[in-house]
């Protein structure tokens, strides 16, 4: 796991944590610390997640990195990094630190707090390793939406940007991912599918997975490191063995990584380290051929994950449309050469970001799962790499001889799709019993991988209350003990609940029948109609059936089990197991097809029945279902999760480290601010605008204070507290406050005075326009206009008088023209103008009298005088009155608009208010 898109220029952050005294470093800073103090720089600790102390990978880790003091955790049987007698850290705590640092980087980029995350993990992580990652996220205070497999995230990133190319025709893509510590080869099928929620959408399905846990760039770096150490020893410039010096070996590992990267594009390069050991420099030429010879056995393993992926998918290379390489180590030319030979293609696809593909796929999945974002749907069907089964032992009796029989039932086949729920039914138990949840057949793993895998036993489940439930429900028919399992989106299996299920036939009271109905039923029974028969009796065999909880995924065998007689039920165990094999190979399609065939068959049977036969069929008896919750005590057999007290203790420890880091950052920020203020102010004292507003004595006083603070910072600043640094900065700012104020005011004057002049001019124009409104339709009152006029005049007077007084003062004195006073004048004038503009905007002109037609006459036979006046205004031909009056200009709509506009020749001024 790596943190991509970090703050470093390489767009990725190394997963490294350095813990030295009161200092904690991450990423490249921590890697830099490794060369100075390798014992406190923790790297590659992800390999120890979910591992017991006796695991071969722990021993291998200690051999590779002898500088770490890895000790056994007596409580959980796992390991810890011991830094001192009092201070130890678990791999989960170190990962929690890295996750929290990643969260900080993301929050700085997003500029908002982050709680919900999607974390990518290797596809080959088993149950213990996945739970360890969740424990680390819990310690970091993160809510995990999903643990997403690296290969699935890469496939999603590839498909999202090519969704237009995905159609109903299946496309098989192989992704070959060689990273720092492992290699994974994945076969993915892209195809559109129909969903209930969103219709037809693109889908990716993991078809095959092959991996090599230890084949990666780190192993190549270690080989080259040891080779460089051998060359240094052969130079015999030092009597000591460089391999016994952890600091020198850390320098060699860093140089090996650099040389390896350069050799990917060059045939040779010079490895050189200044002062490798005892102030002795190291310099040696390394060729690409030498590197390939050193890692010959590693390169021979390049093709193995390809073959494993094809075998698990039951496919041939001819069925693969394209091979795409991912991961930093695929940049090695020899890896590409051997891979190209193994897949038999003309070229390898390189059209995906080798470093960021998994991170970008996880980002898209997080957006899809989060309620805060909306993205286009993309159906993801992941697959569980390791099979899981249920095992139990029961007593059987054959020929009066009792013996114990061990049973195994597959719960999830290899590469079974998830998330998925399963239900297993135990039919032969009527008292308390126990069963185990273990891994299934892992023969596809190499012997070394099988040793590293750890415990094959997951959980022991002891059921309590089975006998009590049967005694309590003696009148009911037992339908078995049902255990409900769930493999969630993170690929983690859990036992949801265990239930005892019973059924009984409910006797219905017959309704009062009429005489005619009774007679009809009697006649019907005489001509072949019989009484209803009950269903098959209780299943006599104690079989364990496996079934889907989802109705659409029910199998034919499940239906048959509830209907077959005892003779047929004897083989139900085998049927259940065979059914699941078919389900895992064919997926939902086969299941849906079976259910459809059942429905069609049922419809055909109903259609073939004659109307005379339908009344003869008796109604099925009603059944009452009873479910009892059974207590399940679970014992974890692989790696125990952290207890609640352990979680609280770890959270407290990590929180103290975080608070210490924040306090350290705050102190550094205070020291930097003080130092920056001293240098900047000393520079400002030489600038013209600062010299203009200050006397020589004033500048001398400030300069003296700055020199004293600088001397104090050099002598005592390193041991000073954050408060002392902040107090010293406040003291200096207080001394310089008057000088800065005078300069700042003069900088603001031009802009603010220009704004005041502009507003005064526009206000005067507005006032002039407002006074031109005719008296018969006024918008503003005389008091309002007089108030505006007085405010304009007072502002003009204030401005002119203040400017005159300011001109008389020397520049070194405190100014009387203040920017805050100008702001107050601007606000008062703007407030008054806005009030009048709003009043004009919502004012309505007086309604015009309704015109009448020329033919309309009053009752006295005379034309309406209002109509005559209206016609006169409109310019129509109307009979003039005997005594014409001078026409007054009516308050037209254009006049109101003019108030919102401006005078002719100066358009648009009023709109600026």
């Amino acid at each position: 796991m790596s943190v991509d898109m970090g703050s470093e220029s390489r767009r990725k952050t190394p997963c490294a944590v350095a813990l030295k005294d009161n200092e904690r470093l991450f990423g490249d800073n921590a890697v830099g610390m490794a060369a100075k103090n390798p014992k406190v720089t923790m790297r590659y600790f992800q390999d120890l997640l979910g591992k017991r102390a006796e695991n071969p990978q722990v021993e291998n880790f200690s051999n590779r990195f002898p500088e770490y003091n890895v000790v056994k955790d007596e409580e959980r049987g796992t390991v810890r990094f011991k830094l001192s007698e009092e201070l130890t850290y678990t791999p989960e705590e170190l990962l929690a630190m890295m996750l929290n640092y990643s969260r900080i980087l993301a929050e700085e980029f997003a500029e908002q707090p982050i709680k919900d995350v999607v974390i990518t993990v290797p596809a080959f992580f088993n149950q213990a390793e996945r739970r360890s990652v969740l424990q680390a996220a819990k310690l970091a205070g993160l809510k995990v939406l999903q643990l997403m497999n690296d290969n699935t995230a890469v496939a999603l990133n590839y498909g999202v940007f090519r969704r237009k190319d995905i159609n109903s025709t299946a496309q098989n893509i192989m992704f070959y991912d060689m990273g720092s510590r492992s290699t994974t080869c994945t076969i993915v099928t892209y195809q559109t599918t129909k969903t209930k929620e969103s219709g037809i959408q693109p889908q990716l399905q993991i078809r095959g997975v092959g991996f090599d846990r230890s084949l990666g760039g780190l192993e190549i770096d270690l080989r080259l490191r040891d080779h460089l150490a051998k060359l240094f020893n052969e130079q015999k410039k030092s009597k000591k063995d460089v391999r016994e010096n952890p600091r020198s070996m850390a320098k060699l590992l860093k140089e090996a990584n650099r040389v390896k990267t350069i050799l990917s594009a060059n045939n040779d390069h010079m490895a050189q380290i200044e002062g490798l050991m005892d102030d002795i420099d190291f310099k040696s030429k390394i060729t690409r051929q030498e590197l390939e010879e050193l890692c010959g056995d590693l390169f021979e393993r390049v093709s193995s994950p390809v073959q494993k992926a094809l075998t698990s998918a039951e496919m041939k290379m001819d069925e693969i449309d394209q091979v795409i390489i991912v991961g930093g180590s695929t940049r090695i030319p020899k890896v590409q050469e051997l891979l190209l030979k193994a897949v038999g293609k003309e070229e390898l696809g390189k059209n995906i970001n080798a470093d960021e593909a998994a991170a970008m796929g996880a980002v898209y999945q997080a957006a899809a799962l989060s309620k805060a974002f909306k993205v286009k749907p993309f159906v993801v069907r992941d697959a569980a790499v390791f099979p899981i089964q249920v095992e139990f032992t029961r007593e059987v009796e054959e020929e009066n001889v009792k013996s114990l029989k061990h049973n195994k039932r597959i719960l999830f086949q290899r590469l079974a799709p998830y998330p998925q729920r399963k239900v297993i039914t135990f039919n032969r138990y009527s008292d308390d019993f126990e069963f185990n949840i273990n891994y299934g057949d892992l023969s596809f793993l190499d012997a070394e991988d099988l040793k590293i895998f750890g415990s094959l036993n997951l959980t022991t489940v002891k059921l309590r209350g089975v006998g009590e439930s049967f005694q309590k429900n003696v009148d009911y028919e037992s339908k078995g003990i049902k255990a409900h399992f769930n493999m969630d989106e993170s690929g983690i299996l859990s036992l949801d609940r265990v239930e005892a299920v019973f059924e009984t036939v409910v006797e219905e009271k017959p309704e009062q029948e009429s005489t005619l109905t009774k007679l009809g039923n009697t006649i019907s029974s005489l001509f072949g109609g019989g009484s209803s028969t009950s269903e098959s009796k209780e299943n006599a065999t104690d079989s364990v059936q496996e079934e889907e909880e989802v109705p659409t995924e029910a199998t034919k065998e499940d239906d048959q089990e509830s209907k077959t007689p005892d003779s047929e039920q004897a083989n139900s165990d085998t049927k259940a197991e065979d059914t699941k094999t078919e389900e895992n190979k064919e997926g939902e399609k086969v299941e849906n097809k079976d259910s459809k065939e059942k429905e069609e068959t049922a419809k055909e049977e109903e259609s073939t029945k004659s109307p005379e036969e339908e009344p003869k069929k008796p109604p099925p008896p009603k059944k009452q279902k009873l479910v009892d919750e059974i207590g399940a005590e679970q014992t974890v057999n692989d790696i125990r999760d952290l207890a609640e007290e352990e979680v609280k203790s770890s959270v407290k420890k990590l929180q103290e480290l975080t608070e210490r880091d924040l306090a350290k950052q705050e102190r550094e920020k205070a020291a930097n601010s003080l130092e920056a203020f001293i240098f900047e102010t000393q520079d400002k004292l030489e600038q013209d605008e600062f010299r203009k507003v200050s006397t020589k004595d004033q500048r001398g006083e400030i300069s003296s204070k700055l020199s004293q603070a600088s001397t104090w910072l050099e002598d005592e600043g390193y041991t000073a507290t954050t408060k002392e640094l902040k107090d010293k900065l406040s003291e200096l700012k207080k001394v310089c406050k008057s000088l800065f104020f005078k300069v700042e005011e003069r900088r603001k004057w031009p802009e603010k005075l220009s704004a005041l002049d502009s507003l005064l001019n526009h206000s005067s124009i507005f006032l002039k326009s407002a006074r031109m409104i005719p008296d018969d339709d006024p918008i503003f009152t005389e008091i309002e206009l007089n108030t505006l006029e007085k405010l304009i005049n007072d502002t003009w007077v204030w401005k002119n008088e203040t400017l005159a007084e300011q001109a008389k003062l020397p520049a070194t004195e405190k100014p009387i023209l203040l920017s805050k006073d100008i702001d107050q004048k601007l606000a008062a004038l703007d407030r008054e103008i806005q009030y009048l503009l709003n009043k004009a905007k919502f004012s309505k002109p007086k309604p015009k009298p309704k015109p009448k037609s020329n033919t309309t006459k009053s009752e006295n036979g005379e034309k309406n005088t209002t109509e005559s006046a209206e016609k006169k205004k409109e310019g129509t031909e109307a009979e003039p009155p005997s005594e014409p009056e001078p026409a007054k200009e009516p308050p037209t709509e254009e006049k109101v608009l003019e108030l919102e506009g401006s005078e002719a020749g100066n358009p648009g001024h009023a709109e600026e208010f």
Side-chain angles (χ1 to χ4, degrees):
M1 287 174 290
S2 63
V3 183
D4 288 330
M5 301 184 71
S7 59
E8 282 79 5
S9 59
R10 296 187 294 118
R11 289 179 62 84
K12 59 181 181 179
T13 304
C15 193
V17 183
L19 299 158
K20 180 186 177 184
D21 300 330
N22 294 326
E23 190 176 22
R24 187 169 61 158
L25 303 175
F26 296 93
D28 282 336
N29 293 331
V31 174
M33 176 64 72
K36 301 176 182 178
N37 197 340
K39 294 182 179 181
V40 299
T41 304
M42 309 302 170
R43 302 183 67 184
Y44 313 115
F45 49 80
Q46 306 98 305
D47 292 339
L48 304 181
L49 291 169
K51 302 289 190 304
R52 291 187 177 274
E54 57 273 13
N55 192 293
Q57 191 154 344
V58 175
E59 181 181 357
N60 189 28
F61 182 88
S62 298
N63 293 334
R64 285 178 169 182
F65 309 105
E67 61 270 21
Y68 299 137
N69 186 10
V70 180
V71 298
K72 183 176 181 179
D73 185 340
E74 298 297 339
E75 296 292 331
R76 300 177 63 210
T78 54
V79 295
R80 287 177 171 267
F81 287 87
K82 186 176 181 180
L83 300 183
S84 65
E85 291 299 326
E86 300 81 17
L87 194 59
T88 61
Y89 292 100
T90 64
E92 289 87 354
E93 289 173 339
L94 295 174
L95 181 57
M97 296 181 198
M98 201 67 215
L99 291 174
N100 189 52
Y101 177 69
S102 306
R103 190 241 308 268
I104 293 173
L105 293 180
E107 287 179 341
E108 290 176 356
F109 180 80
E111 298 181 351
Q112 60 181 353
I114 293 175
K115 287 288 185 183
D116 301 344
V117 296
V118 169
I119 301 176
T120 59
V121 298
F124 51 77
F125 261 26
N126 58 28
Q127 296 291 307
E129 291 168 313
R130 290 174 187 271
R131 295 201 311 271
S132 293
V133 175
L134 289 183
Q135 290 282 307
K138 184 178 181 180
L139 297 180
L142 296 171
K143 177 185 177 183
V144 179
L145 300 177
Q146 181 180 346
L147 290 182
M148 194 174 193
N149 290 335
D150 284 329
N151 56 350
T152 308
V154 169
L156 178 59
N157 176 245
Y158 178 84
V160 162
F161 292 100
R162 293 161 181 81
R163 61 186 304 132
K164 292 183 179 179
D165 300 331
I166 301 174
N167 49 45
S168 57
T169 303
Q171 303 176 45
N172 299 320
I173 307 294
M174 175 181 286
F175 294 94
Y176 190 89
D177 181 359
M178 181 182 285
S180 172
R181 299 183 318 281
S182 62
T183 299
T184 304
C185 182
T186 311
I187 299 174
V188 184
T189 298
Y190 293 94
Q191 192 175 12
T192 53
T193 185
K194 189 174 183 180
T195 63
K196 294 181 180 179
E197 298 81 7
S198 308
I200 297 178
Q201 297 296 340
Q203 170 188 274
L204 71 86
Q205 182 175 359
I206 305 298
R207 297 288 301 278
V209 178
F211 60 87
D212 190 327
R213 275 181 177 263
S214 58
L215 177 61
L218 175 61
E219 187 63 32
I220 297 174
D221 292 346
L222 293 171
R223 297 280 182 96
L224 187 53
R225 178 198 68 175
D226 295 341
H227 178 66
L228 295 177
K230 179 182 178 183
L231 293 176
F232 179 80
N233 287 335
E234 289 175 353
Q235 293 177 1
K236 296 183 179 179
K237 294 182 179 180
S238 175
K239 296 181 180 179
K240 299 178 183 178
D241 188 350
V242 70
R243 290 173 292 189
E244 296 178 359
N245 189 314
R247 182 179 297 181
S248 299
M249 292 300 286
K251 292 180 181 179
L252 286 171
L253 181 60
K254 184 178 181 181
E255 181 65 8
N257 179 266
R258 187 186 71 85
V259 171
K260 180 196 69 175
T261 303
I262 294 176
L263 288 180
S264 296
N266 300 273
N267 290 324
D268 56 70
H269 186 67
M270 191 67 68
Q272 50 188 356
I273 302 174
E274 198 173 320
L276 175 58
M277 189 175 68
D278 296 337
D279 295 328
I280 300 173
D281 298 339
F282 170 68
K283 189 175 183 179
S284 180
K285 185 178 180 180
I286 304 298
T287 65
R288 183 188 293 180
Q289 184 178 356
E290 283 182 276
L291 179 63
E292 292 176 356
E293 290 175 356
L294 286 172
C295 306
D297 59 322
L298 296 179
F299 292 137
E300 289 177 0
R301 291 156 54 185
V302 167
S303 61
S304 178
V306 174
Q307 299 304 322
K308 291 178 180 177
L310 290 171
T311 302
S312 64
E314 297 182 355
M315 298 175 68
K316 296 181 180 179
M317 200 63 224
D318 296 340
E319 302 176 60
I320 306 300
D321 299 316
Q322 189 179 7
V323 179
I324 298 174
I325 56 176
V326 191
S329 297
T330 55
R331 297 188 178 100
I332 299 174
K334 190 65 174 179
V335 171
Q336 295 185 16
E337 175 190 337
L338 295 172
L339 179 60
L340 197 61
K341 183 179 179 180
V343 299
K345 299 291 183 182
E346 294 182 0
E347 61 179 355
L348 300 173
K350 303 176 183 178
N351 50 351
I352 192 170
N353 191 302
D355 296 315
E356 298 178 6
M360 296 304 294
V363 167
Y364 193 90
Q365 184 71 356
L369 295 175
S370 173
K371 297 179 181 178
F373 301 92
K374 186 176 182 180
V375 297
K376 292 182 178 179
F378 203 110
V379 182
V380 177
R381 297 194 66 194
D382 211 333
V385 176
F386 307 113
I388 295 178
Q389 64 189 14
V390 170
E391 299 183 27
F392 57 96
T393 302
R394 59 181 175 81
E395 189 179 76
V396 295
E397 183 176 350
E398 296 180 357
E399 298 179 355
N400 297 325
V401 177
K402 292 184 178 181
S403 61
L404 295 177
K405 181 181 179 182
H406 190 71
N407 296 273
K408 297 180 181 180
R409 293 294 172 265
I410 298 295
L411 190 60
F412 288 95
Q413 292 279 6
R414 182 186 177 191
L415 294 180
Y418 69 86
Q420 192 173 169
R421 295 180 181 274
K422 292 288 182 69
V423 179
I424 283 188
T425 303
F426 299 90
N427 286 325
R428 296 189 177 183
Y429 292 95
S430 58
D431 205 348
D432 295 350
F433 65 99
E434 67 177 42
F435 61 88
N436 295 304
I437 306 170
N438 301 328
Y439 289 105
D441 182 14
L442 299 180
S443 58
F444 59 90
L445 293 179
D446 298 337
E448 184 179 352
D449 285 338
L450 201 56
K451 293 178 182 178
I452 295 174
F453 191 84
S455 172
L456 300 183
N457 302 321
L458 287 170
T459 311
T460 298
V461 182
K462 295 182 179 180
L463 301 185
R464 298 287 183 266
V466 177
E468 296 176 4
S469 180
F470 272 79
Q471 293 173 9
K472 184 173 61 176
N473 301 289
V474 291
D475 296 334
Y476 284 72
E477 176 187 1
S478 172
K479 290 298 180 180
I481 309 299
K482 294 184 180 293
H484 296 256
F485 296 89
N486 175 35
M487 183 172 283
D488 61 16
E489 294 83 355
S490 299
I492 295 178
L493 180 68
S494 62
L495 174 63
D496 283 350
R497 65 189 186 278
V498 180
E499 300 171 336
V501 181
F502 301 90
E503 272 187 4
T504 186
V505 177
V506 180
E507 296 182 1
E508 295 187 48
K509 295 182 179 179
E511 297 181 1
Q512 190 67 29
E513 296 179 326
S514 63
T515 306
L516 185 59
T517 304
K518 292 180 180 179
L519 180 60
N521 291 339
T522 303
I523 296 173
S524 176
S525 62
L526 292 175
F527 288 92
S531 59
S532 62
T533 58
S534 60
E535 289 188 347
S536 301
K537 294 183 179 181
E538 179 183 355
N539 193 345
T541 58
D542 295 332
S543 65
V544 179
Q545 51 183 314
E546 185 176 10
E547 62 187 63
E548 293 286 345
E549 185 174 337
V550 182
T552 56
E553 297 179 351
T555 61
K556 292 182 179 180
E557 283 76 9
D558 293 331
D559 290 346
Q560 291 171 356
E561 280 184 352
S562 61
K563 298 177 183 179
T564 52
D566 298 348
S567 59
E568 296 178 2
Q569 187 60 32
N571 296 323
S572 62
D573 291 358
T574 306
K575 290 182 178 180
E577 186 169 344
D578 294 341
T579 300
K580 296 315 300 176
T581 304
E582 181 181 353
E583 286 175 4
N584 286 308
K585 289 180 181 178
E586 300 299 328
E588 294 180 356
K589 292 183 178 179
V590 172
E591 295 158 3
N592 293 337
K593 183 178 179 180
D594 292 341
S595 57
K596 286 182 179 179
E597 290 176 355
K598 294 176 186 177
E599 293 176 2
E600 292 173 359
T601 304
K603 289 181 180 179
E604 290 175 2
E605 289 176 357
E606 290 177 5
S607 61
T608 55
K609 293 179 180 179
S610 60
E612 291 79 4
E613 292 177 343
E614 289 182 4
K616 299 177 183 178
K617 183 179 179 181
K622 288 190 176 182
K623 294 184 178 180
Q624 181 180 4
K625 187 177 181 181
L626 181 65
V627 177
D628 270 358
E629 194 78 18
I630 301 298
E633 178 186 339
Q634 301 185 52
T635 303
V636 177
N637 296 323
D638 49 3
I639 300 295
R640 177 179 65 81
D641 290 342
L642 292 171
E644 195 62 33
E645 290 300 321
E646 293 173 315
V647 171
K648 291 180 180 179
S649 176
S650 294
V651 169
K652 183 180 178 182
K653 185 199 303 185
L654 298 179
Q655 186 63 33
E656 289 174 353
L657 288 174
T658 302
E659 290 174 357
R660 188 191 69 183
D661 290 346
L662 293 175
K664 181 173 178 289
Q665 292 172 10
E666 187 179 3
R667 188 199 170 282
E668 291 175 351
K669 184 178 179 181
N672 291 337
S673 298
L674 176 59
E675 187 178 16
F677 183 84
I678 292 172
F679 286 114
E680 289 174 4
T681 307
Q682 286 174 338
D683 181 64
K684 288 177 180 178
L685 291 177
E686 302 300 323
Q687 297 176 9
D688 291 339
E689 62 176 342
F690 285 88
R691 296 176 66 88
K692 182 180 179 181
V693 298
S694 60
T695 63
K696 185 177 181 181
D697 293 340
Q698 290 172 341
R699 293 194 298 273
E701 180 185 359
I702 295 174
S703 180
S704 176
K705 293 285 186 182
L706 293 174
S707 298
Q708 292 175 14
S710 179
T711 303
W712 175 85
L713 186 60
E714 291 177 0
D715 296 341
E716 305 177 25
Y718 294 103
T719 58
T721 63
T722 304
K723 185 178 184 303
E724 290 174 337
L725 292 168
K726 289 183 176 180
D727 290 344
K728 184 66 69 174
L729 180 60
S730 300
E731 181 183 338
L732 292 179
K733 285 183 176 180
K734 188 175 181 180
V735 173
C736 303
K737 182 178 180 181
S738 176
L739 175 63
F740 291 167
F741 177 76
K742 287 182 285 186
V743 173
E744 190 67 23
E745 285 297 314
R746 279 168 169 74
R747 288 176 178 174
K748 293 178 180 178
W749 283 350
E751 182 182 352
K752 292 188 178 295
L753 288 174
S754 175
L756 184 61
D757 288 341
S758 176
L759 186 57
L760 284 169
N761 290 330
H762 291 161
S763 301
S764 299
I765 294 171
F766 176 82
L767 178 63
K768 186 176 181 181
S769 300
R771 290 195 181 280
M772 294 176 64
I773 298 175
D775 297 338
D776 59 343
D777 192 11
I779 297 177
F780 310 114
T781 65
E782 190 64 25
I783 296 176
E784 291 171 339
L785 296 179
N786 290 338
T787 302
L788 176 61
E789 184 176 11
K790 183 177 183 303
L791 183 59
I792 293 173
N793 293 334
D794 291 347
T795 306
W796 276 113
V797 171
W798 174 84
K799 178 202 165 192
N800 294 330
E801 289 180 351
T802 307
L803 285 175
E805 292 179 12
Q806 180 62 47
K808 296 176 183 178
L809 288 176
T812 56
E813 295 292 330
K814 182 180 179 180
I816 61 172
L817 177 63
L818 304 178
S819 59
K820 66 175 184 177
D821 294 337
I822 301 176
D823 289 337
Q824 290 177 358
K825 298 296 181 182
L826 282 167
L829 193 56
D830 182 70
R831 188 164 52 247
E832 189 66 28
I833 293 296
Q834 290 296 336
Y835 166 74
L836 297 177
L837 281 174
N838 288 333
K839 186 176 181 182
K841 182 178 180 180
F842 294 106
S843 65
K844 296 181 180 179
K846 290 182 179 180
K848 300 177 182 180
K850 295 181 181 179
K852 295 183 180 181
S853 60
N854 294 337
T855 57
T856 305
K857 295 183 179 181
S858 62
E859 292 180 358
N860 299 329
E862 296 179 355
K863 292 183 178 179
N864 192 295
T865 56
T866 304
E867 177 191 355
S868 178
E870 197 67 27
K871 286 183 178 181
K872 186 174 184 180
K873 294 175 185 176
E874 296 175 0
T876 57
E877 295 182 3
E879 190 174 333
S882 56
E883 295 182 2
E885 296 181 0
K888 295 181 180 180
E889 186 177 0
T892 62
E893 195 171 333
E894 287 74 9
K895 273 295 179 183
V896 177
L897 295 174
E898 183 180 345
L899 293 175
E900 298 180 0
S902 62
E903 291 185 341
N906 193 10
H909 285 300
E911 293 180 355
E912 296 181 10
F913 290 108

